[in-house]
Amino acid sequence: MAEPPVLIRQDEVEDLLHYKDLIPRLEIALRKFSKLDSAEVIQPVRTTVPLQKYNGFLGLMPAYLVHEDILCTKLVCFYKRESGSTLPSTQATVLLFDPEYGNVKAVMDGEVITAKRTAAVSAISAKLLMPAKSDVLTILGAGHQALSHYNVFTETFSFKEVRVWSRRKETAERFAQSTQGHVTVLESVEEAVNGADVIVTVTGASEPVLFGQWVKPGAHVAAVGACRPDWRELDDVLMRQAEVYVDSREGAVAESGDIILSGAKVFAELGEVLNGTRPALREKTTVFKSLGMGIQDAVSAKLVFEQWKNKH
Ligand SMILES: NC(=O)C1=CN([C@@H]2O[C@H](COP(=O)(O)OP(=O)(O)OC[C@H]3O[C@@H](n4cnc5c(N)ncnc54)[C@H](O)[C@@H]3O)[C@@H](O)[C@H]2O)C=CC1
Ligand SMILES: O=C(O)C1=NCCCC1
């Protein structure tokens, strides 16, 4: 009989998962995913169950990486919350399986994994697509993803200035007080993105908050929110003037309101750029539309489990 699963708590995942280990593994997984002749990665588009009564969704995100033999699924509930709500907007649990036997080896917190792997993939997009000289980073939104993005972007790159905007100024101020380095709080999105080289959108918005007319030509936008086909963070002008990169084409055309409703064409997957089969158009205005992938959770979970076993 199989051993019962180990339970890995949020504070343990926080201690065990580091960007320096995570980023190279995510790059390998993205490369494999985008190799069309490869059956190495099996990842259906996320199944979502609407929770209409609570303005939310349950997302099921299974993935199997054949070569590494990683079988995993994340179960994630995400919600559209009213301003001032104290309820969480994302809750997640990750299950790591023994693919041969079929039992669950580990049940682990999925919130830290979601925060870190999403931010790490945005950092990969910035590494490939941001202007060669990037001095100003702007973060729109001041929640969990804002903090993980701040952490990995400041760990990986050297910005001269970091700015934040949130729909409630107090939230942006609290965010700025919680970070290691100095962050400037701006009152409007227009001011916050003025002259920015890199813009990260990590809001719970379902209508556009970032407008193309405010974005400096050549800037890179990592767009992380608006993960439903009828939700938006970016306007049509920005979507049509930018070269659009995604994590998964299949996921993007099924789930991204910014892509579906603007009619923008997807230029490339990040994995294609990493594989050298599509170019990184760094000199153009670029949008990386992130939706999140099961393989990103799978490689993160494997890493957490390996580190956990080393300690026990
Ligand atoms: N692409 C991906 O892989 C993932 C995307 N997400 C999405 O990223 C976004 C941020 O997630 P978290 O930081 O965990 O959420 P959070 O609830 O911790 O923070 C959300 C931030 O957005 C702001 N916000 C909410 N509604 C807004 C609106 N209508 N207009 C402007 N700002 C608004 C909030 O004030 C807060 O600052 C959410 O849309 C979430 O669904 C989350 C996980 C993974
Ligand atoms: O990939 C994920 O995890 C999520 N993506 C979109 C919304 C919440 C969670």
Side-chain angles (χ1 to χ4, degrees):
M1 214 171 70
E3 292 276 301
V6 300
L7 193 62
I8 310 183
R9 298 184 315 264
Q10 186 168 121
D11 58 320
E12 294 177 287
V13 177
E14 183 69 60
D15 283 351
L16 296 170
L17 192 58
H18 300 287
Y19 290 119
K20 67 172 181 14
D21 309 316
L22 182 57
I23 289 177
R25 294 208 190 186
L26 286 169
E27 286 177 342
I28 293 168
L30 291 169
R31 291 175 79 126
K32 287 189 175 166
F33 178 81
S34 297
K35 269 197 190 142
L36 291 178
D37 58 348
S38 157
E40 264 196 66
V41 172
I42 300 167
Q43 184 204 264
V45 173
R46 176 166 44 217
T47 299
T48 45
V49 178
L51 310 170
Q52 218 167 349
K53 186 173 167 187
Y54 301 107
N55 226 347
F57 299 86
L58 165 65
L60 310 176
M61 303 180 64
Y64 181 42
L65 285 91
V66 178
H67 184 67
E68 293 91 338
D69 215 22
I70 311 175
L71 178 64
C72 179
T73 191
K74 184 165 81 180
L75 310 171
V76 56
C77 285
F78 59 101
Y79 302 85
K80 184 162 169 42
R81 300 295 191 199
E82 294 308 319
S83 185
S85 167
T86 52
L87 295 171
S89 62
T90 308
Q91 292 276 287
T93 305
V94 175
L95 308 182
L96 188 64
F97 292 81
D98 177 332
E100 185 179 17
Y101 209 85
N103 60 300
V104 175
K105 291 191 292 188
V107 177
M108 59 186 86
D109 163 73
E111 282 157 62
V112 170
I113 287 179
T114 303
K116 289 195 176 181
R117 63 70 151 147
T118 307
V121 173
S122 297
I124 294 169
S125 84
K127 195 163 66 169
L128 298 168
L129 299 170
M130 72 184 192
K133 185 169 163 1
S134 285
D135 292 334
V136 180
L137 166 68
T138 295
I139 301 175
L140 303 179
H144 295 88
Q145 289 290 340
L147 189 59
S148 56
H149 279 73
Y150 171 85
N151 288 336
V152 71
F153 275 68
T154 53
E155 192 176 307
T156 313
F157 311 110
S158 306
F159 292 103
K160 291 193 177 136
E161 187 185 353
V162 182
R163 305 174 187 164
V164 69
W165 167 87
S166 186
R167 62 182 166 166
R168 289 159 71 104
K169 195 177 174 201
E170 316 84 83
T171 320
E173 281 168 347
R174 225 175 309 129
F175 175 85
Q177 279 154 17
S178 73
T179 55
Q180 294 272 317
H182 179 73
V183 175
T184 310
V185 174
L186 275 306
E187 296 218 10
S188 71
V189 174
E190 185 174 359
E191 283 174 280
V193 302
N194 182 24
D197 302 293
V198 179
I199 303 168
V200 173
T201 61
V202 274
T203 73
S206 52
E207 301 294 332
V209 291
L210 180 61
F211 291 81
Q213 68 192 74
W214 301 332
V215 175
K216 177 166 115 172
H220 175 58
V221 179
V224 173
C227 295
R228 294 293 304 155
D230 55 349
W231 291 1
R232 303 291 301 264
E233 263 189 328
L234 316 183
D235 78 337
D236 284 354
V237 173
L238 177 54
M239 289 307 292
R240 291 186 194 143
Q241 78 193 12
E243 298 294 343
V244 178
Y245 294 75
V246 295
D247 38 18
S248 151
R249 276 201 170 83
E250 211 186 357
V253 298
E255 292 193 317
S256 166
D258 286 331
I259 289 175
I260 298 164
L261 300 175
S262 69
K265 296 277 164 289
V266 172
F267 181 74
E269 291 180 347
L270 285 188
E272 294 175 311
V273 179
L274 290 163
N275 285 331
T277 54
R278 299 289 280 165
L281 302 173
R282 216 183 248 287
E283 68 290 350
K284 298 214 175 164
T285 306
T286 50
V287 166
F288 165 54
K289 179 59 227 156
S290 159
L291 288 152
M293 300 163 84
I295 56 164
Q296 299 166 0
D297 301 311
V299 297
S300 307
K302 175 80 182 314
L303 196 49
V304 168
F305 191 55
E306 277 171 9
Q307 311 273 18
W308 184 91
K309 277 195 301 186
N310 287 343
K311 284 197 165 182
H312 290 84

XYZ file of all heavy atoms in Angstrom, residues 168-239:
543
model
N -7.054 51.959 -4.421
C -7.121 52.657 -3.126
C -5.703 53.075 -2.754
O -4.827 52.209 -2.619
C -7.686 51.716 -2.054
C -9.185 51.435 -2.228
C -9.539 50.172 -1.514
N -9.487 50.335 -0.078
C -10.534 50.456 0.712
N -11.741 50.421 0.203
N -10.398 50.588 2.002
N -5.532 54.377 -2.548
C -4.176 54.887 -2.307
C -3.568 54.267 -1.042
O -2.370 53.966 -0.994
C -4.217 56.417 -2.185
C -2.856 57.020 -2.297
C -2.877 58.527 -2.248
C -1.446 59.048 -2.230
N -1.358 60.390 -1.700
N -4.412 54.037 -0.009
C -3.898 53.457 1.254
C -3.259 52.085 0.994
O -2.256 51.728 1.624
C -4.993 53.250 2.317
C -5.989 54.359 2.510
C -7.122 54.279 1.499
O -8.074 53.518 1.720
O -7.041 55.002 0.475
N -3.876 51.316 0.084
C -3.330 49.975 -0.205
C -1.957 50.114 -0.874
O -1.024 49.363 -0.553
C -4.279 49.193 -1.151
O -5.606 49.444 -0.762
C -3.998 47.722 -1.131
N -1.840 51.068 -1.774
C -0.546 51.282 -2.447
C 0.487 51.745 -1.421
O 1.650 51.315 -1.458
C -0.708 52.300 -3.562
N 0.059 52.593 -0.487
C 1.010 53.083 0.525
C 1.463 51.945 1.444
O 2.637 51.839 1.780
C 0.372 54.224 1.325
C 0.425 55.512 0.527
C -0.436 56.633 1.095
O -1.277 56.371 1.975
O -0.273 57.747 0.625
N 0.513 51.089 1.815
C 0.865 49.938 2.665
C 1.855 49.029 1.919
O 2.808 48.522 2.487
C -0.397 49.156 3.038
C -0.421 48.791 4.515
C -1.704 48.134 4.952
N -2.883 48.862 4.575
C -3.944 48.358 3.940
N -3.977 47.104 3.594
N -4.982 49.094 3.641
N 1.586 48.847 0.622
C 2.481 48.023 -0.205
C 3.901 48.627 -0.191
O 4.878 47.926 0.053
C 1.946 47.955 -1.643
C 2.841 47.233 -2.603
C 2.777 45.848 -2.709
C 3.764 47.909 -3.392
C 3.616 45.165 -3.587
C 4.614 47.238 -4.252
C 4.527 45.867 -4.358
N 3.970 49.946 -0.412
C 5.279 50.612 -0.486
C 6.023 50.497 0.844
O 7.259 50.418 0.865
C 5.100 52.074 -0.889
N 5.265 50.470 1.944
C 5.929 50.333 3.254
C 6.437 48.909 3.486
O 7.319 48.682 4.315
C 4.964 50.716 4.379
C 4.889 52.232 4.557
C 3.575 52.681 5.164
O 2.846 51.856 5.740
N 3.256 53.950 5.051
N 5.837 47.924 2.768
C 6.194 46.523 3.032
C 7.399 46.058 2.215
O 7.917 44.969 2.438
C 4.999 45.615 2.712
O 4.847 45.526 1.308
N 7.838 46.844 1.236
C 8.914 46.363 0.354
C 10.291 46.725 0.924
O 10.412 47.662 1.708
C 8.767 46.996 -1.052
O 8.722 48.415 -0.904
C 7.524 46.510 -1.754
N 11.272 45.969 0.467
C 12.661 46.185 0.927
C 13.197 47.532 0.471
O 13.791 48.270 1.237
C 13.563 45.098 0.322
C 13.280 43.706 0.808
C 14.073 43.396 2.063
O 15.242 43.735 2.140
N 13.446 42.773 3.033
N 12.975 47.825 -0.820
C 13.521 49.066 -1.391
C 12.453 50.144 -1.516
O 11.282 49.904 -1.217
N 12.874 51.330 -1.999
C 11.926 52.444 -2.107
C 10.959 52.234 -3.276
O 11.363 51.868 -4.375
C 12.684 53.759 -2.310
C 11.751 54.919 -2.454
N 11.045 55.443 -1.386
C 11.348 55.605 -3.542
C 10.281 56.418 -1.808
N 10.439 56.541 -3.120
N 9.678 52.480 -3.025
C 8.654 52.415 -4.069
C 7.856 53.720 -4.004
O 7.417 54.134 -2.934
C 7.702 51.207 -3.853
C 6.565 51.219 -4.862
C 8.476 49.885 -3.947
N 7.676 54.367 -5.172
C 6.922 55.622 -5.223
C 5.449 55.316 -5.502
O 5.139 54.577 -6.442
C 7.462 56.518 -6.371
O 8.884 56.590 -6.237
C 6.862 57.911 -6.321
N 4.569 55.905 -4.687
C 3.119 55.701 -4.874
C 2.587 56.812 -5.780
O 2.831 57.993 -5.531
C 2.396 55.750 -3.503
C 0.883 55.691 -3.685
C 2.893 54.619 -2.602
N 1.873 56.428 -6.843
C 1.275 57.427 -7.742
C -0.251 57.343 -7.656
O -0.810 56.284 -7.412
C 1.715 57.150 -9.182
C 3.068 57.733 -9.659
C 3.135 59.251 -9.433
C 4.250 57.084 -9.042
N -0.879 58.509 -7.885
C -2.331 58.575 -7.672
C -3.139 58.120 -8.872
O -4.298 57.728 -8.729
C -2.719 60.007 -7.316
C -2.099 60.438 -6.021
C -3.010 61.304 -5.180
O -4.192 61.431 -5.502
O -2.491 61.842 -4.183
N -2.564 58.229 -10.078
C -3.325 57.789 -11.256
C -2.472 56.819 -12.070
O -1.229 56.872 -12.018
C -3.711 58.990 -12.120
O -2.559 59.499 -12.762
N -3.160 55.985 -12.849
C -2.441 55.036 -13.705
C -1.620 55.821 -14.726
O -0.458 55.497 -14.999
C -3.435 54.090 -14.417
C -2.713 53.202 -15.425
C -4.187 53.239 -13.408
N -2.231 56.874 -15.256
C -1.526 57.668 -16.288
C -0.186 58.186 -15.770
O 0.839 58.052 -16.445
C -2.425 58.818 -16.738
C -1.803 59.588 -17.885
C -2.723 60.657 -18.468
O -3.873 60.806 -18.000
O -2.259 61.355 -19.388
N -0.187 58.755 -14.557
C 1.078 59.257 -13.985
C 2.036 58.093 -13.718
O 3.243 58.206 -13.922
C 0.823 59.894 -12.616
C 0.218 61.256 -12.578
C -0.084 61.598 -11.118
O -1.112 61.134 -10.589
O 0.733 62.306 -10.521
N 1.476 57.001 -13.207
C 2.331 55.870 -12.798
C 3.076 55.257 -13.968
O 4.206 54.804 -13.822
C 1.484 54.813 -12.086
N 2.430 55.223 -15.151
C 3.083 54.545 -16.290
C 3.825 55.510 -17.203
O 4.501 55.068 -18.143
C 2.077 53.702 -17.128
C 1.402 52.662 -16.251
C 1.051 54.566 -17.836
N 3.728 56.804 -16.897
C 4.370 57.799 -17.756
C 5.892 57.553 -17.828
O 6.585 57.644 -16.827
C 4.072 59.198 -17.207
C 4.677 60.288 -18.077
O 4.923 60.072 -19.267
N 4.950 61.426 -17.482
N 6.374 57.203 -19.006
C 7.815 56.976 -19.204
C 8.309 55.626 -18.694
O 9.507 55.358 -18.762
N 7.407 54.769 -18.196
C 7.861 53.470 -17.654
C 8.364 52.551 -18.767
O 7.791 52.506 -19.854
C 6.735 52.790 -16.884
N 9.428 51.815 -18.464
C 9.986 50.853 -19.425
C 9.305 49.497 -19.302
O 9.150 48.766 -20.280
C 11.488 50.675 -19.169
C 12.222 51.991 -19.278
O 12.285 52.539 -20.383
O 12.683 52.502 -18.226
N 8.953 49.152 -18.072
C 8.291 47.869 -17.812
C 7.065 48.144 -16.944
O 7.152 48.873 -15.948
C 9.242 46.886 -17.087
C 8.539 45.569 -16.794
C 10.503 46.645 -17.909
N 5.924 47.578 -17.344
C 4.682 47.767 -16.593
C 4.119 46.379 -16.279
O 3.976 45.548 -17.182
C 3.649 48.561 -17.423
C 4.232 49.920 -17.852
C 2.348 48.743 -16.630
C 3.395 50.652 -18.909
N 3.840 46.144 -15.015
C 3.238 44.876 -14.604
C 1.804 45.173 -14.183
O 1.575 46.023 -13.320
C 4.020 44.275 -13.420
C 3.312 43.052 -12.871
C 5.446 43.909 -13.833
N 0.822 44.503 -14.796
C -0.577 44.703 -14.385
C -1.019 43.473 -13.596
O -1.070 42.368 -14.128
C -1.505 44.969 -15.589
O -1.488 43.851 -16.465
C -1.079 46.213 -16.359
N -1.310 43.684 -12.335
C -1.663 42.582 -11.418
C -2.901 43.003 -10.612
O -2.898 42.990 -9.396
C -0.489 42.222 -10.483
C 0.459 41.237 -11.121
C 0.280 43.455 -10.022
N -3.943 43.378 -11.343
C -5.168 43.851 -10.695
C -6.266 42.807 -10.809
O -6.179 41.869 -11.590
C -5.684 45.141 -11.365
O -6.251 44.793 -12.643
C -4.596 46.181 -11.549
N -7.318 43.031 -10.041
C -8.514 42.188 -10.147
C -9.540 42.819 -11.081
O -10.721 42.480 -11.015
N -9.099 43.711 -11.958
C -10.029 44.458 -12.818
C -10.706 43.554 -13.847
O -10.138 42.552 -14.285
C -9.272 45.566 -13.543
N -11.927 43.941 -14.232
C -12.571 43.261 -15.359
C -12.842 44.242 -16.494
O -13.414 43.869 -17.519
C -13.855 42.560 -14.909
O -14.669 43.465 -14.217
N -12.437 45.506 -16.304
C -12.492 46.535 -17.358
C -11.073 47.085 -17.498
O -10.312 47.072 -16.524
C -13.410 47.695 -16.936
C -14.852 47.313 -16.626
C -15.604 46.819 -17.848
O -15.249 47.248 -18.961
O -16.503 45.984 -17.673
N -10.713 47.637 -18.672
C -9.336 48.124 -18.849
C -8.917 49.163 -17.811
O -9.697 50.053 -17.477
C -9.356 48.748 -20.250
C -10.488 48.098 -20.952
C -11.515 47.761 -19.909
N -7.708 49.005 -17.289
C -7.120 50.025 -16.411
C -5.904 50.680 -17.091
O -5.536 51.796 -16.763
C -6.668 49.471 -15.028
C -7.839 49.077 -14.173
C -5.702 48.303 -15.168
N -5.295 49.961 -18.045
C -4.105 50.488 -18.727
C -4.471 50.779 -20.195
O -4.942 49.884 -20.914
C -2.959 49.464 -18.656
C -1.666 49.906 -19.340
C -1.093 51.174 -18.715
C -0.622 48.791 -19.297
N -4.223 52.031 -20.603
C -4.601 52.482 -21.944
C -3.353 52.742 -22.786
O -2.384 53.344 -22.310
C -5.468 53.749 -21.835
C -6.821 53.454 -21.236
C -6.976 53.329 -19.857
C -7.931 53.227 -22.045
C -8.208 53.011 -19.297
C -9.168 52.912 -21.496
C -9.314 52.803 -20.121
N -3.415 52.286 -24.037
C -2.265 52.361 -24.944
C -1.701 53.760 -25.097
O -0.491 53.933 -25.238
N -2.567 54.769 -25.042
C -2.086 56.142 -25.271
C -1.118 56.606 -24.185
O -0.372 57.556 -24.381
C -3.271 57.114 -25.364
C -4.006 57.292 -24.057
C -5.340 58.023 -24.223
O -6.302 57.466 -24.719
N -5.368 59.271 -23.794
N -1.117 55.915 -23.027
C -0.231 56.314 -21.930
C 1.105 55.556 -21.937
O 2.015 55.868 -21.163
C -0.893 56.021 -20.570
C -2.194 56.720 -20.345
C -2.591 57.916 -20.888
C -3.265 56.280 -19.508
N -3.846 58.234 -20.436
C -4.287 57.247 -19.577
C -3.456 55.161 -18.682
C -5.488 57.132 -18.876
C -4.645 55.041 -17.980
C -5.647 56.015 -18.073
N 1.163 54.507 -22.775
C 2.331 53.606 -22.701
C 3.435 54.085 -23.634
O 3.192 54.337 -24.822
C 1.902 52.153 -23.056
C 3.108 51.217 -23.108
C 0.872 51.649 -22.048
N 4.638 54.186 -23.089
C 5.797 54.640 -23.888
C 6.072 53.623 -25.013
O 6.144 52.410 -24.735
C 6.997 54.708 -22.927
C 8.302 55.088 -23.569
C 9.307 55.449 -22.501
C 10.462 54.482 -22.454
N 11.530 54.915 -21.552
N 6.258 54.080 -26.257
C 6.588 53.132 -27.331
C 7.834 52.323 -26.965
O 8.814 52.879 -26.472
C 6.844 54.042 -28.551
C 6.101 55.308 -28.238
C 6.146 55.467 -26.732
N 7.771 51.027 -27.165
C 8.918 50.161 -26.858
C 8.864 49.555 -25.466
O 9.674 48.691 -25.132
N 7.882 49.996 -24.654
C 7.783 49.447 -23.284
C 7.330 47.985 -23.326
O 6.754 47.524 -24.320
C 6.792 50.271 -22.466
N 7.612 47.283 -22.232
C 7.127 45.902 -22.096
C 6.072 45.842 -20.996
O 6.292 46.361 -19.893
C 8.283 44.960 -21.743
C 7.827 43.549 -21.481
N 7.138 42.821 -22.437
C 7.911 42.748 -20.375
C 6.836 41.625 -21.928
N 7.295 41.556 -20.684
N 4.941 45.215 -21.308
C 3.859 45.069 -20.332
C 3.697 43.587 -20.009
O 3.502 42.769 -20.914
C 2.518 45.611 -20.910
C 1.381 45.430 -19.905
C 2.652 47.071 -21.324
N 3.794 43.240 -18.725
C 3.470 41.868 -18.294
C 2.074 41.941 -17.683
O 1.881 42.515 -16.618
C 4.496 41.369 -17.289
N 1.102 41.377 -18.407
C -0.315 41.516 -18.028
C -0.781 40.212 -17.390
O -0.931 39.196 -18.063
C -1.142 41.840 -19.265
N -1.021 40.269 -16.090
C -1.216 39.043 -15.297
C -2.675 38.827 -14.882
O -3.130 37.700 -14.734
C -0.288 39.110 -14.053
C -0.546 37.983 -13.085
C 1.170 39.086 -14.498
N -3.416 39.917 -14.696
C -4.824 39.778 -14.282
C -5.710 39.470 -15.486
O -5.220 39.021 -16.525
N -7.027 39.689 -15.328
C -8.009 39.491 -16.417
C -7.872 38.118 -17.060
O -7.589 37.993 -18.253
C -7.888 40.599 -17.456
N -8.087 37.091 -16.267
C -7.918 35.714 -16.761
C -9.243 35.050 -17.125
O -9.375 33.826 -17.031
C -7.161 34.892 -15.722
S -5.484 35.472 -15.487
N -10.215 35.842 -17.522
C -11.481 35.289 -18.009
C -11.780 35.893 -19.387
O -11.356 37.015 -19.669
C -12.631 35.640 -17.038
C -12.515 34.979 -15.666
C -12.682 33.475 -15.735
N -13.931 33.101 -16.353
C -14.141 31.930 -16.975
N -13.184 31.033 -17.068
N -15.311 31.658 -17.505
N -12.527 35.166 -20.220
C -12.731 35.656 -21.592
C -13.476 36.983 -21.677
O -13.430 37.644 -22.706
C -13.555 34.531 -22.250
C -13.722 33.453 -21.260
C -13.045 33.822 -19.979
N -14.176 37.382 -20.607
C -14.891 38.664 -20.644
C -14.291 39.685 -19.662
O -14.937 40.670 -19.333
C -16.397 38.456 -20.374
C -16.648 37.724 -19.068
O -15.684 37.187 -18.479
O -17.812 37.687 -18.623
N -13.079 39.466 -19.198
C -12.399 40.415 -18.302
C -11.275 41.109 -19.062
O -10.629 40.504 -19.919
C -11.803 39.712 -17.072
C -12.810 39.180 -16.099
C -14.180 39.233 -16.196
C -12.527 38.482 -14.869
N -14.754 38.619 -15.106
C -13.764 38.156 -14.279
C -11.355 38.115 -14.219
C -13.859 37.466 -13.068
C -11.440 37.428 -13.013
C -12.683 37.114 -12.438
N -11.044 42.373 -18.725
C -10.008 43.152 -19.383
C -9.134 43.850 -18.356
O -9.611 44.235 -17.290
C -10.633 44.275 -20.256
C -11.614 43.865 -21.316
C -10.982 43.119 -22.439
N -9.923 43.829 -23.149
C -10.091 44.516 -24.276
N -11.288 44.608 -24.814
N -9.065 45.091 -24.878
N -7.870 44.056 -18.699
C -6.991 44.965 -17.960
C -6.419 46.015 -18.909
O -6.073 47.099 -18.507
C -5.795 44.201 -17.352
C -5.937 43.803 -15.919
C -4.639 43.245 -15.335
O -3.839 42.621 -16.050
O -4.440 43.447 -14.121
N -6.293 45.630 -20.200
C -5.651 46.484 -21.199
C -6.688 46.886 -22.250
O -7.596 46.102 -22.543
C -4.510 45.717 -21.885
C -3.567 44.891 -20.987
C -2.462 44.262 -21.819
C -2.964 45.739 -19.873
N -6.537 48.100 -22.819
C -7.539 48.525 -23.808
C -7.176 48.033 -25.215
O -6.073 47.502 -25.439
C -7.759 50.046 -23.760
C -6.651 50.817 -24.471
O -5.536 50.280 -24.622
O -6.896 51.968 -24.867
N -8.108 48.241 -26.149
C -7.911 47.756 -27.523
C -6.701 48.411 -28.176
O -5.978 47.769 -28.942
C -9.148 48.082 -28.376
C -10.308 47.138 -28.073
O -10.117 46.175 -27.300
O -11.401 47.381 -28.609
N -6.496 49.703 -27.879
C -5.378 50.421 -28.520
C -4.063 49.729 -28.178
O -3.253 49.417 -29.055
C -5.362 51.909 -28.063
C -4.120 52.624 -28.571
C -6.633 52.609 -28.526
N -3.862 49.464 -26.888
C -2.621 48.819 -26.473
C -2.511 47.409 -27.074
O -1.444 47.024 -27.590
C -2.545 48.758 -24.934
C -1.331 48.050 -24.347
C -0.019 48.616 -24.888
C -1.340 48.143 -22.816
N -3.604 46.661 -27.025
C -3.556 45.282 -27.539
C -3.236 45.254 -29.026
O -2.575 44.340 -29.509
C -4.886 44.566 -27.276
C -5.127 44.226 -25.827
S -3.768 43.307 -25.073
C -3.837 41.748 -25.921
